Amino acid sequence: MIVDQKKMENLADNLMAAEEVQGRSLWADAARRFSHNKAAIGGLVTLTLVVLFTLIGPSFAQWSNEEIDWAVLGQVKTMGAPSIESGHYFGTDELGRDLYSRVIQGTSISLMVGVIGSFVAVVVGTLYGAIAGYVGGRVDNFMMRLVDIFMSIPYMFVLILLLVIFGRSLNMLFIGIGLISWFDMSRIVRGQTLSIKNKEFIEAAVAAGVSNFTIIMRHIVPNLVGIVIVYASLLVPGFILAESFISFLGLGVQEPNTSWGALISEGARTMQYGTLWQIGFPLFFFTITLFSMFFIGDGLRDALDPKDR
């Protein structure tokens, strides 16, 4: 009787364990892995705080990003140092504009450039690579040779040329960064498509008479979501760096708008006067955001890597 009772308890434990295994999907397993990555969670928390700063921060601002405080102009040595009494929490720039409001604006624009540029690169690169990999043959060879040719052209030179020809607008910066950064994504997606195009579910869809475009959109692309998410998370900091470099050269975001690169460039020009806050605050947000995104990207890669499942 005691033996039978132990057998029943072991059977119940096995059934409960089986239910736990069956109830956890691949995405749930990936979320569990990601939650155990302390660096990734720290990066996610930091990035969330930066985003909240751009959303909630303006409600605490006493000066707008374009408003000039005439009282601090001409003060070469102090140049509007950070002060809670004056309402300039981060100080002012060389023109007497509130740096707190300008850092908020620069943070939002730099994040938008990274996210929108990554979205454009992901959409174009995923569709291009999936079509090339699924169709195969001469079409695949031709499309990939075009990618090789495009990748041989200097990335930054093309971006600067686009901004000079079509104007240094914010929209052109979004489109330019995204449209010339999808090449690596297309090669990654193409390789993954080649590995799944001969799977049973694809052959079943072909036998059922499903069109090639429907197969690509409904069967191939959804199975590439994990790879796409990981690569997109690593694209965002790269785009922020590219935008900051362009703005640092004076070819990116134009006044009255600003970005991290423009703010850092302005701060670098006034460092000789000891106004370290002008470069310190935008550089701080720039640095912690990049580190956070790199940590999040590494965490997603580890969580969604099929070899680790």
Side-chain angles (χ1 to χ4, degrees), residues 18-309:
E19 289 178 358
E20 291 180 359
V21 172
Q22 292 177 358
R24 191 171 66 193
S25 65
L26 294 177
W27 288 104
D29 186 57
R32 182 183 61 85
R33 290 176 180 271
F34 184 84
S35 63
H36 291 167
N37 191 323
K38 295 182 179 180
I41 293 299
L44 183 61
V45 172
T46 303
L47 183 60
T48 302
L49 293 176
V50 172
V51 173
L52 288 176
F53 171 71
T54 64
L55 297 176
I56 304 176
S59 61
F60 298 98
Q62 299 186 27
W63 299 79
S64 68
N65 61 298
E66 299 180 22
E67 191 175 359
I68 298 177
D69 186 358
W70 299 100
V72 303
L73 289 180
Q75 300 178 13
V76 179
K77 293 185 178 181
T78 59
M79 226 178 202
S83 172
I84 297 178
E85 296 179 356
S86 64
H88 300 300
Y89 309 129
F90 292 175
T92 63
D93 63 5
E94 58 184 341
L95 298 179
R97 295 173 297 187
D98 184 48
L99 192 60
Y100 175 80
S101 297
R102 288 179 63 77
V103 168
I104 292 176
Q105 183 190 37
T107 302
S108 60
I109 289 180
S110 293
L111 290 176
M112 285 174 56
V113 169
V115 173
I116 295 178
S118 178
F119 176 78
V120 173
V122 165
V123 171
V124 176
T126 299
L127 292 177
Y128 191 94
I131 292 173
Y134 181 76
V135 175
R138 294 182 178 179
V139 175
D140 177 31
N141 187 52
F142 175 75
M143 294 177 71
M144 288 299 102
R145 295 298 76 75
L146 282 179
V147 171
D148 292 339
I149 293 173
F150 291 149
M151 292 185 68
S152 65
I153 303 174
Y155 163 85
M156 197 58 64
F157 172 77
V158 175
L159 181 57
I160 293 175
L161 190 62
L162 289 174
L163 292 172
V164 171
I165 294 177
F166 297 102
R168 293 176 288 179
S169 65
L170 195 59
N171 293 332
M172 191 62 225
L173 189 62
F174 290 153
I175 298 173
I177 289 179
L179 287 181
I180 61 179
S181 304
W182 55 269
F183 309 127
D184 288 331
M185 173 64 76
S186 66
R187 300 181 74 173
I188 293 173
V189 170
R190 182 248 182 186
Q192 294 295 318
T193 302
L194 290 175
S195 65
I196 66 174
K197 63 182 292 187
N198 295 322
K199 299 290 185 179
E200 290 78 4
F201 65 93
I202 300 294
E203 294 179 353
V206 174
V210 180
S211 64
N212 291 338
F213 181 78
T214 303
I215 291 175
I216 292 173
M217 298 303 297
R218 291 188 179 180
H219 298 288
I220 292 181
V221 172
N223 282 277
L224 303 175
V225 171
I227 298 295
V228 170
I229 290 176
V230 172
Y231 191 73
S233 66
L234 297 175
L235 278 178
V236 174
F239 289 158
I240 293 177
L241 280 171
E243 180 277 327
S244 299
F245 177 72
I246 291 294
S247 297
F248 188 87
L249 296 178
L251 298 174
V253 178
Q254 301 298 305
E255 295 287 353
N257 296 320
T258 189
S259 67
W260 281 330
L263 290 172
I264 293 173
S265 177
E266 294 173 2
R269 292 199 303 266
T270 60
M271 286 182 63
Q272 58 182 327
Y273 301 111
T275 57
L276 297 180
W277 62 85
Q278 293 188 17
I279 191 174
F281 285 108
L283 187 61
F284 170 75
F285 283 94
F286 175 76
T287 303
I288 64 172
T289 301
L290 288 185
F291 273 109
S292 299
M293 288 186 173
F294 280 127
F295 288 147
I296 293 172
D298 289 340
L300 289 173
R301 182 191 59 196
D302 296 339
L304 296 172
D305 190 354
K307 295 180 181 179
D308 292 337
R309 286 176 181 166

